[in-house]
Amino acid sequence: MTMMRPSCEPSPTATLLNVPISPVKTLSFETLPDAHKSASAIVSPTDSLYVEFQYGDPRNPINYSWLRKWCITLVVCAFNGITSPATSSFAMGYNSMIQDLNCTRFQATVAYCLYPLGFGIVPLFTSALSEEVGRRPIYLVSAFLGAICNVLAALSSNIQTVMVARVLGGAFASTGAILVGGTIADIWEPQERGLPMAVFSMVNMVTTGLGSIISAWLELDPHLQWRWIQRIQAIVQGTYFLLSLLIMEETRSQIILLRIAKKLCKETGDDRYQVRGEEARPKLSAMIKISCTRPIMFILTEPIVTSICIWVFFMSGVLYVQIGSVSGVFKHLYHFNVGQSGLVFTTVIVGSILGLCANFYQDMLYRKYVPQRGPEARLYIACLVALLLPTSIFIYAWTADPRIFWMWPIVGLSMFMFCSFVTYQVVFIYLADCYGPMASSALAGQGLARNLGSFGFPLFSHMMFKKLTYKWANTIFGGVAVILIPVPFVLFLYGPSLRKRSTMCSQLMQVEKKPAIESRDESPYPLPCSISNSLDLHNPC
């Protein structure tokens, strides 16, 4: 980069995103001899010296090497991998915990459900913290406190303490897990994020299955059982925390630039160095208020988000019901022991692998049809899932019979897990395409609906199974799935019309039409994250 001394005459007003910027002075290395060691490019208005990344700067996370990006991706996906099994593995230890703590099955079910409740609600308050402290500290604190919660559960002498540990464990797990998508957005270009997101989803599902299998055999050993399920989870999370202290790095570009600016201030004694957008950033309390209210507003006012929330609310609720019922179905109908029932969770792994393959095919369809259909080109596989979902539930319901070979309900479960995996992946990318810089609020809304479904359904499902039997209770779930078949088809056919009538999407379309956006795309200097995402404080970038 060529630097020249300040001109005696004021330079013309520069334009960024169609917003006038005060006259700019260009600083020379003679004036600031050490500046080039700490910042890649310095843009200095008359009152502030803005620190920005230069095009191609290796310190910008988006310019990391391919190997470094995948190492970061796998590390953050591992966080989700160690927290996801907390649900299914807890269910495998029901019997020993009920006997040990002398509690009712309903109380154990409440403890089971409190994990997704904490997972769904707490991020509304904590998601804005990464704006202040970055991603790395949140990952580390979440991993450490999550391990403490598992220790608390393992040492509990009553079910009430287990409930507290579960809701806090879900809260800490969610605070870190919601950042995984943002970390992927930090380091991968939009056209490159499909595979990393598919790996993220697959790790989430596969570890759920593996955790259940391992926990089932722990439950079978009378010397281990439910307390050792919690202890092993605490050991794994604690190990992850220690490793993350050594290998995890910050990926939020705004935080990296802030550190560079602070270093410059310290080295030069000039406190004018700052990062563009910081002076206009709202207070943390204001960001928390927006992060709590905007997702609910999206659920209530955006037809696309509303319909998707209804769909994922039901699907996630049934998913938690099926996870909790596997042990009972195969124990009472097929006389499996707990270890053998745990092996049924290989269906999660099989469904995830099939879903990953379907994701590659969906990406091919998207690239082919996106010029004609826009974001709705993401929904081809979702339409297939809408048909397979009730089919899988009916197969599981009507073949769970001692007179029918036990492999048939496993086939139904595998199909259901495939549908769950694909839906999770499709919903995330489709909402991101529809709402652009406001996507995180839409995703937070569907995440809230998904976790509320996971919390609510198991509370009444046990009574349904007891009064209606597994066959007829699951038949009711299958009937509701039939009613919801039109959801992805309506979005596929009428999505563009719904977006035109949407207040949020209309605002985004107007923004996209401005020449400023075109100029940003042509600029060789990427904007700091806070500027490009100024429309939405939830944005994971």
Side-chain angles (χ1 to χ4, degrees):
M1 181 184 68
T2 303
M3 305 290 270
M4 302 189 321
R5 290 184 179 277
S7 173
C8 296
E9 299 179 0
S11 59
T13 300
T15 301
L16 182 64
L17 282 180
N18 215 25
V19 179
I21 297 178
S22 56
V24 176
K25 295 180 181 178
T26 306
L27 300 180
S28 67
F29 285 129
E30 287 79 5
T31 306
L32 290 174
D34 294 326
H36 67 286
K37 297 179 182 179
S38 300
S40 298
I42 303 173
V43 183
S44 63
T46 54
D47 58 341
S48 299
L49 304 177
Y50 286 146
V51 180
E52 296 178 342
F53 285 123
Q54 190 179 24
Y55 178 72
D57 192 305
R59 288 170 292 184
N60 188 348
I62 204 71
N63 296 323
Y64 287 169
S65 67
W66 182 87
L67 179 61
R68 189 176 181 184
K69 288 182 178 182
W70 270 111
C71 289
I72 294 172
T73 300
L74 294 177
V75 168
V76 297
C77 286
F79 180 93
N80 211 43
I82 64 175
T83 56
S84 296
T87 299
S88 56
S89 61
F90 183 84
M92 301 311 297
Y94 261 22
N95 293 333
S96 62
M97 185 180 67
I98 291 172
Q99 294 177 2
D100 188 18
L101 300 181
N102 193 28
C103 63
T104 65
R105 187 172 186 87
F106 179 76
Q107 289 175 316
T109 302
V110 171
Y112 170 75
C113 297
L114 284 175
Y115 190 86
L117 181 65
F119 209 105
I121 295 178
V122 173
L124 297 178
F125 299 90
T126 59
S127 58
L129 288 177
S130 64
E131 297 277 347
E132 292 288 328
V133 300
R135 307 203 191 283
R136 184 176 181 270
I138 296 179
Y139 281 121
L140 295 176
V141 172
S142 298
F144 176 75
L145 294 179
I148 296 299
C149 289
N150 282 317
V151 172
L152 176 62
L155 299 178
S156 299
S157 58
N158 54 68
I159 190 62
Q160 289 77 19
T161 306
V162 175
M163 291 179 182
V164 172
R166 289 284 292 174
V167 71
L168 291 178
F172 295 130
S174 68
T175 303
I178 60 171
L179 297 182
V180 176
T183 301
I184 290 174
D186 288 340
I187 61 178
W188 296 99
E189 296 285 359
Q191 67 273 14
E192 300 173 328
R193 294 172 191 165
L195 182 57
M197 282 307 304
V199 171
F200 165 54
S201 302
M202 186 171 182
V203 168
N204 182 31
M205 297 290 287
V206 168
T207 53
T208 299
L210 290 176
S212 302
I213 294 171
I214 296 171
S215 299
W217 290 102
L218 291 174
E219 172 71 6
L220 192 62
D221 190 329
H223 301 291
L224 301 176
Q225 298 190 322
W226 76 276
R227 291 190 185 274
W228 268 101
I229 293 175
Q230 303 302 316
R231 288 168 182 163
I232 289 178
Q233 288 181 346
I235 292 170
V236 172
Q237 277 195 277
T239 303
Y240 177 85
F241 167 73
L242 295 176
L243 292 176
S244 297
L245 283 173
L246 302 176
I247 62 178
M248 184 174 286
E249 53 186 308
E250 182 59 56
T251 60
R252 185 170 174 79
S253 60
Q254 193 78 348
I255 298 298
I256 297 174
L257 288 172
L258 279 172
R259 292 173 181 172
I260 294 174
K262 289 179 180 178
K263 183 179 180 182
L264 275 171
C265 291
K266 183 178 180 180
E267 291 177 350
T268 63
D270 189 342
D271 60 359
R272 291 181 299 161
Y273 290 101
Q274 58 183 280
V275 177
R276 194 180 300 278
E278 282 300 303
E279 65 277 8
R281 191 175 66 176
K283 295 181 179 179
L284 179 60
S285 58
M287 291 192 290
I288 291 176
K289 180 180 178 181
I290 293 174
S291 69
C292 291
T293 57
R294 185 176 287 173
I296 297 174
M297 182 190 68
F298 267 70
I299 294 175
L300 299 177
T301 62
E302 292 293 308
I304 291 177
V305 178
T306 302
S307 56
I308 284 179
C309 284
I310 294 172
W311 201 34
V312 299
F313 173 83
F314 169 76
M315 186 175 296
S316 298
V318 176
L319 174 63
Y320 263 62
V321 168
Q322 306 298 22
I323 288 175
S325 69
V326 162
S327 180
V329 168
F330 287 88
K331 177 182 178 181
H332 297 139
L333 300 183
Y334 295 103
H335 307 293
F336 282 20
N337 61 33
V338 177
Q340 292 170 329
S341 297
L343 292 174
V344 174
F345 283 94
T346 53
T347 56
V348 180
I349 301 174
V350 172
S352 300
I353 295 173
L354 295 176
L356 184 63
C357 296
N359 177 74
F360 289 126
Y361 182 63
Q362 169 61 62
D363 283 346
M364 292 172 54
L365 294 174
Y366 174 77
R367 289 191 292 268
K368 181 178 180 180
Y369 293 108
V370 67
Q372 296 84 23
R373 304 215 62 95
E376 282 65 39
R378 299 279 190 191
L379 298 178
Y380 285 99
I381 198 71
C383 294
L384 174 63
V385 165
L387 298 173
L388 289 180
L389 180 63
T391 304
S392 65
I393 297 175
F394 285 135
I395 291 176
Y396 182 60
W398 286 78
T399 60
D401 189 299
R403 296 167 295 180
I404 300 175
F405 185 42
W406 55 264
M407 182 58 72
W408 284 109
I410 288 180
V411 171
L413 278 175
S414 298
M415 291 175 60
F416 182 83
M417 297 304 173
F418 165 81
C419 295
S420 298
F421 179 93
V422 171
T423 302
Y424 184 85
Q425 180 77 4
V426 167
V427 165
F428 190 97
I429 300 179
Y430 177 63
L431 289 178
D433 287 352
C434 287
Y435 291 96
M438 291 188 179
S440 290
S441 292
L443 289 168
Q446 70 84 27
L448 176 62
R450 177 161 43 85
N451 284 291
L452 288 178
S454 302
F455 165 73
F457 272 56
L459 293 176
F460 61 80
S461 62
H462 177 67
M463 190 59 65
M464 283 183 65
F465 291 143
K466 186 175 181 179
K467 291 184 176 296
L468 301 177
T469 72
Y470 293 108
K471 175 180 179 179
W472 291 108
N474 282 317
T475 299
I476 293 176
F477 290 137
V480 176
V482 170
I483 296 174
L484 295 177
I485 285 177
V487 170
F489 288 95
V490 170
L491 294 177
F492 182 79
L493 296 174
Y494 302 104
S497 299
L498 292 173
R499 289 201 305 277
K500 288 180 182 178
R501 293 178 173 85
S502 163
T503 303
M504 294 295 176
C505 289
S506 298
Q507 293 176 0
L508 291 173
M509 290 179 193
Q510 292 175 4
V511 171
E512 289 173 355
K513 291 178 182 178
K514 291 183 179 180
I517 301 299
E518 297 175 358
S519 66
R520 184 182 73 175
D521 292 338
E522 297 170 358
S523 172
Y525 295 93
L527 295 176
C529 218
S530 65
I531 298 177
S532 61
N533 294 334
S534 59
L535 290 175
D536 188 27
L537 299 175
H538 263 96
N539 200 297
C541 192

